[in-house]
């Protein structure tokens, strides 16, 4: 491997790691939201309220993450 290729691989590494971190956090947040909504549904919350809660939490995830 030439030093030029090695240089560009090392330059790209932080971007790949950051992209992976964001993807992992997005997936974990979605899993937490799904579990929360399922628990509320099991406790008898009305569907309209569950839809509203889900919509608000998605908006908050978008704005605050």
């Amino acid at each position: 491997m030439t030093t030029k290729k090695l240089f560009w691989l090392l330059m790209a590494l932080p971007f790949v790691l950051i992209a992976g971190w964001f993807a992992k956090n997005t997936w974990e947040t979605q899993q937490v939201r799904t579990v929360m909504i399922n628990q509320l549904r099991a406790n008898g919350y009305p569907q309209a309220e569950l839809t509203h809660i889900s919509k608000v939490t998605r908006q908050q995830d978008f704005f605050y993450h």
Side-chain angles (χ1 to χ4, degrees), residues 12-46:
L13 184 61
F15 295 102
V16 171
L17 293 175
I18 290 170
W21 181 80
F22 276 112
K24 177 180 171 286
N25 279 353
T26 301
W27 182 82
E28 286 175 349
T29 301
Q30 184 179 2
Q31 295 302 323
V32 169
R33 183 172 48 242
T34 301
V35 168
M36 179 188 75
I37 293 297
N38 287 341
Q39 287 175 342
L40 291 173
R41 183 176 288 125
N43 287 333
Y45 268 72

Side-chain angles (χ1 to χ4, degrees), residues 3-23:
T3 55
K4 195 173 189 179
K5 285 183 183 176
L6 184 60
F7 170 77
W8 285 113
L9 282 173
L10 290 175
M11 291 295 286
L13 184 61
F15 295 102
V16 171
L17 293 175
I18 290 170
W21 181 80
F22 276 112

